[in-house]
Amino acid sequence: MNSSRRRNANTCARQAVAALFFSGMCFAQAAPTVADIIIKNNIKYGEVPTATLMHIIATAAPKNQDERDMVLKLKLKLDALERYLNNETPDKDAALALSTTVVNEARELYGKDGARLIPVLRLVASVCLRYREPARALTLLTDAMRVSDIVYGPDDPASRFIMRDLGRIYAAKGDAPRADQFNKKAEYLKKVAPASIKGISVLASAPPALESKPYQLVPVFFQTTRKKTGNDDPQAYFGTQRAGTSSYGVSYVSVPRQRESGDIPHASILKLDFSTDPNRHLFLKEISLYDGKAGFLKAITERMKASARKESLIYIHGFNQSFQDGMETAGMLAVDLEIDGSVVSYAWPSKKNVLKYVADMDESNALINKDALKELLVDVSSSVGAKSVYVIAHSMGNRLLLEALQLLPSSGEKWRFDSVIFASPDVESNEFETMVGKTFSQTNRMTLYTAGSDIPLSLSELIRAGLFNTDNLRRAGDRDGGVKSQPYLDVVDASKAQSDWLGHSNFTQLAKDDLRALLWLRVPATRRCVLQAQTGGWRYDPQENCSSGAFGMATLFYRRLQDTAKAAAQLDSTAGPLAKQASSILKAMLPTN
């Protein structure tokens, strides 16, 4: 990262902090706010405050300034409540006063019957219990139960966690009959929870039929080196600590049907959109574990046999991601890429804490995590009957993928994977090129998606520059990182596909149709007309004779019919200039002769 870019990034960082600070983010004096810490440390390179700023930038996508201010203030107050709950600042009066403020502001922001109010009420109830105020906790949990009944109905399995909390309070009060009532209902809902996710079909490769429900449940298999928390709430089942061995299972992700492709309208911590409304939110609904790897592979094999295309997608998440985050992104990719077979998510123990960037770096280098991913790559590519295997890694997850690829034994074939996608890799450029050069024989095609305005990667460079006292740590996911296309690697600058201000996930947004063409049609960059040649690779840049919409239509019609002539004929018979252009694009991309 050259000195001018570092100065510009640092200036932007200071301006962002100043804007947040002077917009009134500070509250009370019970505990220092994030903004307080940042200002105090003066944004020194590589120090924790820069990582904190990265988190604020990366998770605050406001609809408007007023909403952002409200959400940020509430987020900071919830952070303070977490500290009170963890006994870091044991001040009962301040904790209870803050809890009242949080509930009032959450109700103002989300409404008295809003689903997003439920996790706030549960957190505040926990704080009240921590400071021996069971009556207040009971009132809050009763209200959470009321909201849950309105939003989900009285028998939704997710409400069992509120019922357990209520059971504990009534037991502590000595009201055994009421405690028993709630505990029995919670146990019943726990038993029926698996039934609520039965009968999920393989993801369709044909146009989906009209469904009565406005959402679908997507199975996402997983292998994880995360340690179990002992809490069977699906969204808290696995924590951030590393376990000694892998766990294997399947999660079920609820994905709204009315959703922009690439959009994850899910539970961002900053927005407090923790889940809950399947009509609007993408969220992790349930988890089921297998006894071991044998049962895991058997289940994937059975799903593969039931599919037509026998495809498998392996997804590896990046920095500052919870188990839930990884499952939800994998579920989104399963739907948007219409994977006909199985989707498998590898969940390494990211700390889900922006203050622990270095700890996540260490986890991405830990041998146990590399070995576990290597094991998964081998198993899915050779033991479940998959005909096509795609691998997508995002951000810091690319470090683990590159390390695991180097550990793979020779497959005895020319390649093991149909396509490997390196999305916005948080890996030093020179190191990335060296590692890719050692592993390209494992895959038919490798693709690197970069961007010129990737804010998280720019801030990652700042952090590492401070940690390692050097400017020569450009990231491979940075368009200016210097990585160039090779015979085995296509480098695609997706800057013009950016649809949000972060620029860190462009490959799932407007460039999604290019990714689809890569995976579905298996055509090289030279035949994907939304890409234009540039020095060192390609850039996503649709032209008048190859619009993004027409290119996407051509790709989709071929996917449906698997025959160029038939797809082109259908497009030709469809009214409108877009379909005509799509037909021409398809014929040029996949000529029939």
Side-chain angles (χ1 to χ4, degrees):
M1 188 174 189
N2 60 45
S3 58
S4 63
R5 289 185 63 216
R6 276 187 66 184
R7 284 195 299 271
N8 290 338
N10 194 41
T11 298
C12 291
R14 290 177 183 276
Q15 291 173 346
V17 171
L20 292 172
F21 184 76
F22 290 114
S23 67
M25 288 175 58
C26 296
F27 61 93
Q29 294 184 0
T33 67
V34 173
D36 289 333
I37 299 171
I38 295 174
I39 296 295
K40 181 178 179 180
N41 285 277
N42 200 29
I43 311 299
K44 295 179 182 177
Y45 293 128
E47 292 190 356
V48 164
T50 305
T52 305
L53 176 62
M54 180 170 69
H55 172 62
I56 293 173
I57 293 175
T59 52
K63 295 179 181 177
N64 55 63
Q65 183 67 35
D66 290 341
E67 179 177 343
R68 183 184 68 177
D69 289 347
M70 289 178 67
V71 170
L72 285 173
K73 290 176 185 178
L74 186 56
K75 169 62 173 65
L76 290 172
K77 293 175 184 179
L78 285 164
D79 285 346
L81 280 182
E82 291 279 4
R83 291 196 291 273
Y84 286 127
L85 187 60
N86 295 327
N87 201 30
E88 295 176 26
T89 50
D91 184 332
K92 177 179 178 178
D93 291 339
L96 295 178
L98 183 57
S99 67
T100 299
T101 300
V102 163
V103 171
N104 291 337
E105 291 186 3
R107 284 175 175 152
E108 179 183 355
L109 186 61
Y110 300 128
K112 294 182 179 180
D113 300 330
R116 290 171 287 181
L117 187 62
I118 295 173
V120 178
L121 294 172
R122 290 188 64 197
L123 171 62
V124 174
S126 297
V127 172
C128 291
L129 287 174
R130 160 73 179 78
Y131 291 99
R132 294 180 174 83
E133 292 286 341
R136 293 180 64 175
L138 182 60
T139 299
L140 292 163
L141 289 171
T142 300
D143 195 35
M145 194 73 249
R146 178 191 64 81
V147 176
S148 179
D149 286 348
I150 292 172
V151 176
Y152 312 118
D155 293 318
D156 188 89
S159 66
R160 67 188 185 269
F161 306 108
I162 305 174
M163 292 182 181
R164 286 180 183 175
D165 293 341
L166 286 167
R168 293 188 186 102
I169 292 179
Y170 279 113
K173 286 168 61 71
D175 190 341
R178 294 295 299 276
D180 190 54
Q181 173 189 342
F182 281 109
N183 289 334
K184 284 183 177 179
K185 185 64 179 292
E187 286 304 308
Y188 165 75
L189 291 177
K190 178 182 178 181
K191 290 178 181 178
V192 302
S196 71
I197 53 177
K198 293 294 185 185
I200 299 174
S201 61
V202 176
L203 292 174
S205 56
L210 290 176
E211 297 283 347
S212 59
K213 292 184 177 180
Y215 61 90
Q216 59 183 313
L217 290 175
V218 179
V220 177
F221 295 94
F222 64 84
Q223 179 176 347
T224 182
T225 50
R226 292 174 182 264
K227 190 174 182 179
K228 298 173 189 175
T229 62
N231 185 341
D232 63 356
D233 185 334
Q235 297 175 27
Y237 197 97
F238 290 101
T240 61
Q241 299 303 308
R242 186 196 308 165
T245 58
S246 288
S247 294
Y248 304 88
V250 60
S251 63
Y252 295 89
V253 178
S254 180
V255 183
R257 295 186 188 278
Q258 297 300 316
R259 175 185 67 89
E260 291 293 330
S261 181
D263 184 26
I264 306 182
H266 79 317
S268 136
I269 288 180
L270 189 63
K271 296 179 181 178
L272 304 179
D273 228 358
F274 280 84
S275 68
T276 70
D277 188 347
N279 298 339
R280 297 185 296 119
H281 301 144
L282 187 151
F283 70 97
L284 174 62
K285 183 172 179 61
E286 292 292 344
I287 288 176
S288 179
L289 290 186
Y290 298 106
D291 289 338
K293 183 166 75 169
F296 170 71
L297 296 179
K298 180 181 178 182
I300 298 177
T301 301
E302 290 174 351
R303 184 162 293 276
M304 203 66 66
K305 288 178 180 177
S307 67
R309 301 183 190 276
K310 303 191 184 326
E311 298 172 315
S312 190
L313 170 67
I314 301 172
Y315 174 70
I316 304 106
H317 66 74
F319 160 69
N320 189 33
Q321 295 285 286
S322 66
F323 177 85
Q324 176 186 352
D325 293 334
M327 297 305 113
E328 290 172 346
T329 301
M332 177 271 292
L333 289 170
V335 171
D336 289 353
L337 298 177
E338 296 184 2
I339 299 300
D340 183 17
S342 68
V343 175
V344 187
S345 179
Y346 176 69
W348 54 281
S350 164
K351 302 309 177 188
K352 186 58 180 178
N353 186 333
V354 291
L355 306 183
K356 295 185 178 179
Y357 184 89
V358 175
D360 272 15
M361 285 171 50
D362 291 342
E363 290 292 352
S364 70
N365 284 305
L367 182 58
I368 186 174
N369 295 326
K370 300 175 192 176
D371 280 341
L373 179 54
K374 178 203 73 172
E375 172 191 283
L376 180 64
L377 294 171
V378 171
D379 289 338
V380 173
S381 63
S382 61
S383 302
V384 299
K387 290 184 178 179
S388 302
V389 180
Y390 318 122
V391 184
I392 298 178
H394 186 231
S395 194
M396 196 181 286
N398 284 275
R399 157 68 65 181
L400 270 167
L401 176 58
L402 287 164
E403 296 280 6
L405 288 173
Q406 291 190 113
L407 296 174
L408 287 178
S410 174
S411 64
E413 302 173 0
K414 187 175 181 181
W415 50 67
R416 188 185 300 273
F417 308 108
D418 290 87
S419 196
V420 171
I421 311 299
F422 303 107
S424 307
D426 188 2
V427 180
E428 193 272 320
S429 294
N430 292 335
E431 192 173 10
F432 176 87
E433 290 182 305
T434 298
M435 297 173 82
V436 166
K438 293 178 180 179
T439 59
F440 70 86
S441 62
Q442 297 282 359
T443 181
N444 181 19
R445 183 172 289 108
M446 289 180 164
T447 303
L448 165 64
Y449 282 99
T450 71
S453 54
D454 189 320
I455 292 175
L457 285 188
S458 295
L459 289 168
S460 171
E461 292 181 20
L462 280 175
I463 293 169
R464 289 169 179 268
L467 291 172
F468 303 113
N469 194 30
T470 176
D471 288 344
N472 189 28
L473 290 170
R474 295 181 301 176
R475 316 320 289 161
D478 186 338
R479 178 189 61 192
D480 302 321
V483 179
K484 293 180 170 55
S485 287
Q486 302 294 334
Y488 47 82
L489 175 71
D490 288 325
V491 178
V492 177
D493 171 15
S495 299
K496 290 193 175 183
Q498 184 171 337
S499 62
D500 65 21
W501 64 310
L502 293 174
H504 198 48
S505 300
N506 295 347
F507 77 105
T508 68
Q509 297 168 2
L510 295 180
K512 174 260 305 172
D513 285 318
D514 182 64
L515 179 60
R516 282 177 160 181
L518 171 62
L519 301 186
W520 291 355
L521 279 61
R522 302 185 183 186
V523 291
T526 53
R527 302 218 312 263
R528 306 201 303 267
C529 63
V530 288
L531 302 183
Q532 309 301 318
Q534 66 178 12
T535 302
W538 305 87
R539 72 178 183 278
Y540 176 85
D541 189 8
Q543 303 294 304
E544 185 176 351
N545 63 345
C546 180
S547 67
S548 176
F551 182 81
M553 185 180 290
T555 301
L556 190 61
F557 268 65
Y558 181 84
R559 170 73 169 186
R560 302 294 191 229
L561 298 171
Q562 288 295 293
D563 183 281
T564 302
K566 290 180 180 179
Q570 272 207 17
L571 287 166
D572 286 333
S573 66
T574 302
L578 194 67
K580 305 301 182 188
Q581 186 182 95
S583 176
S584 299
I585 291 171
L586 181 59
K587 292 171 185 175
M589 189 161 45
L590 291 173
T592 54
N593 297 330

